[in-house]
Amino acid sequence: MRAFYDVVVVGAGSAGAASARALARGGWSVLLIDKRAAGEAGARWVNAVPRWMFERADVAPPSGDEERSHGGRYVLCEPSGAHRVVVSRCPTTFFDMRSLVARLQSDAVAAGAELEGGCVVDAVVFSPGRQTLRLRGREGLVTVDCRLVVDASGFGGAVRSRVPVLAAACDPIADKDLCLAAQEVRSIADVDGARSFLRREGLQSGEQLAYVGVAGGYSTRLMQVDLERGEVDILGGAIKGVGSGLQLVKDVVDAHPWIGARLFGGSSVIPLRRPYDLLGVAGVALVGDAASMVFPAHGSGVGAGLVAARMLADVVAEVGDPGSADVARRYGRVFHREIGALFVAYDAFRRASQLLQADDITELVRAGFMNEASTHDALAQRMPRFSAASSKALAQAALRAPGLAKTMGPTVARMLASWAVSRAHPATRRRGALVGRGLDHLIGAR
């Protein structure tokens, strides 16, 4: 390690590696560190990201062995399985996170970044124009100065928690806003049994089957059977204190004896609350889970982390000084207006969905409140399209289930109102805090 870098990125997962890659390609000297060995950083499971997010982040979408599937049918079921929503062409790419993180790290190093595994932040001293980090690594304590620290360490915020202004502005996340997620890839031990399962469910190899509401209003259990690979992908997620992804994955394995040995996978605690209002101060920027950049409707944050990394690098290039307070202001404004507003809107929906019982979710699907268009938009991480056809479908759903319409109508109104407010995200810290408190009331967080 050198004594000085323009940028130190803490966390070498997808968001951190993408940040180091984008900043190093911009000509800045970058140090990328992670508490784990470089080859073990980041998520170790299969994830899904809409294609547009790769394009916006200037990251080539997964292909070859890195890609698991793209564009097939996505079938969503309510808890009983009697009613379904079929998305004819899923807008997301399913891919191996291990390969993506390795590619982003390799690109960062090729662009000139230095990568150091087994290294943690021991202390941080902040001063105008220069930040000093004391790092504990394989060779003991090392002191490094830089102009900008990027916290991509996860929702715990290894750097964020050491910056008084950020620690005060970024509230601890309550259990009701945390998702316990797990994903495993397992072998198919009995091919005939897997084929029988696909026939019973009316699926083809490689298509996704998701059950929602199986462990509380906000919960998901997803399976994807790939006969060519001889593998099955299993995902589970539920609110902390209500259920757990690990248990949901175990339930799937126990219920299907044709599923074989675990090949790889992992689990994590995912923050679901809307992104923090303050995404940085002079000399510090937050990306990924450290900033709560997670799409609340289904808990995916990889795409947002990639896009935020691109946004940060673009702002740094425009300002010309990574440590400038102007970088923090512009970065926060760009992110909130383009993506943060979307996430705020869907946080309103997520909070309402957590209160629903299994019968309510069944009625949502049966009546048509959840349909192909709305499910496609949520998977694509886009605002719902309220076209003439979709508005007519919602009106018909309201006639079928007037009781549920009394819940869903105000929820949709809160989504639209909070989206509009957040898109006008103010540039100053004081006004940002005021708008943030208003948004919390609007989406039901307070």
Side-chain angles (χ1 to χ4, degrees):
M1 294 186 200
R2 295 184 305 211
F4 178 84
Y5 295 86
D6 292 316
V7 184
V8 174
V9 181
V10 180
S14 55
S19 298
R21 169 185 181 268
L23 288 160
R25 286 183 170 181
W28 305 103
S29 60
V30 178
L31 173 64
L32 173 63
I33 67 171
D34 199 279
K35 63 183 179 181
R36 293 164 289 186
E40 298 173 0
R44 316 300 295 163
W45 55 35
V46 171
N47 216 313
V49 169
R51 211 75 167 180
W52 73 265
M53 287 186 140
F54 287 109
E55 295 171 1
R56 178 64 179 87
D58 193 26
V59 173
S63 60
D65 292 339
E66 190 175 303
E67 183 181 81
R68 304 284 296 184
S69 68
H70 173 68
R73 284 201 315 162
Y74 179 97
V75 180
L76 181 146
C77 304
E78 42 76 32
S80 73
H83 304 281
R84 299 183 166 197
V85 175
V86 178
V87 178
S88 56
R89 186 169 178 80
C90 183
T92 62
T93 294
F94 286 75
F95 59 93
D96 188 338
M97 283 292 297
R98 301 172 302 172
S99 299
L100 175 67
V101 171
R103 170 158 64 98
L104 293 171
Q105 290 178 354
S106 178
D107 286 352
V109 172
E114 296 178 26
L115 174 59
E116 186 74 20
C119 185
V120 298
V121 176
D122 188 70
V124 184
V125 177
F126 293 92
S127 57
R130 183 176 291 253
Q131 324 309 328
T132 300
L133 286 81
R134 190 170 68 198
L135 307 176
R136 187 180 298 276
R138 292 171 295 180
E139 299 178 2
L141 289 175
V142 177
T143 299
V144 171
D145 290 337
C146 64
R147 289 195 276 177
L148 173 66
V149 182
V150 178
D151 189 348
S153 64
F155 88 94
V159 177
R160 183 195 70 215
S161 60
R162 289 178 164 92
V163 184
V165 173
L166 291 173
C170 301
D171 298 331
I173 301 177
D175 286 355
K176 64 183 176 62
D177 297 324
L178 294 175
C179 175
L180 303 184
Q183 198 277 340
E184 288 185 359
V185 175
R186 287 180 168 257
S187 65
I188 296 176
D190 177 3
V191 176
D192 290 337
R195 287 198 178 103
S196 295
F197 169 80
L198 291 173
R199 282 196 298 271
R200 286 195 305 272
E201 297 291 348
L203 299 172
Q204 299 295 318
S205 173
E207 295 178 339
Q208 292 88 42
L209 176 67
Y211 276 79
V212 296
V214 292
Y218 183 97
S219 58
T220 303
R221 184 182 69 217
L222 183 143
M223 295 175 65
Q224 180 179 4
V225 179
D226 191 323
L227 296 177
E228 279 191 31
R229 281 195 175 94
E231 295 173 357
V232 54
D233 299 353
I234 310 167
L235 169 70
I239 295 298
K240 185 177 181 180
V242 179
S244 84
L246 286 170
Q247 185 60 51
L248 288 171
V249 170
K250 183 179 184 300
D251 291 344
V252 170
V253 174
D254 291 344
H256 299 92
W258 52 267
I259 296 177
R262 182 182 186 275
L263 302 176
F264 66 92
S267 60
S268 183
V269 181
I270 299 174
L272 299 175
R273 59 145 287 155
R274 65 185 183 83
Y276 288 124
D277 295 306
L278 194 59
L279 299 183
V281 293
V284 186
L286 311 179
V287 297
D289 285 7
S292 196
M293 292 176 177
V294 174
F295 186 65
H298 51 61
S300 177
V302 175
L306 298 179
V307 174
R310 178 73 267 161
M311 290 175 171
L312 177 61
D314 288 345
V315 169
V316 169
E318 291 170 6
V319 175
D321 176 6
S324 167
D326 201 25
V327 166
R329 284 193 295 270
R330 293 193 191 186
Y331 167 57
R333 190 163 61 242
V334 169
F335 179 86
H336 280 297
R337 290 180 176 177
E338 185 174 334
I339 292 184
L342 172 76
F343 286 16
V344 169
Y346 273 97
D347 199 14
F349 173 82
R350 187 269 302 183
R351 291 175 185 280
S353 73
Q354 281 183 219
L355 302 177
L356 299 177
Q357 302 299 313
D359 290 346
D360 296 324
I361 297 171
T362 296
E363 192 69 356
L364 275 176
V365 177
R366 186 199 68 78
F369 285 107
M370 294 180 68
N371 51 45
E372 181 174 7
S374 63
T375 303
H376 181 280
D377 290 341
L379 291 171
Q381 300 188 39
R382 296 289 199 187
M383 279 296 288
R385 294 165 291 174
F386 292 105
S387 62
S390 64
S391 298
K392 180 181 178 181
L394 287 175
Q396 292 172 337
L399 292 174
R400 297 188 197 102
L404 203 54
K406 293 180 180 178
T407 298
M408 297 311 299
T411 297
V412 172
R414 285 196 296 272
M415 288 181 68
L416 293 173
S418 58
W419 178 71
V421 171
S422 193
R423 278 177 63 85
H425 191 276
T428 65
R429 188 183 303 164
R430 174 176 289 183
R431 289 181 60 210
L434 290 173
V435 171
R437 285 195 292 272
L439 284 172
D440 282 344
H441 285 289
L442 187 59
I443 66 176
R446 293 179 184 270

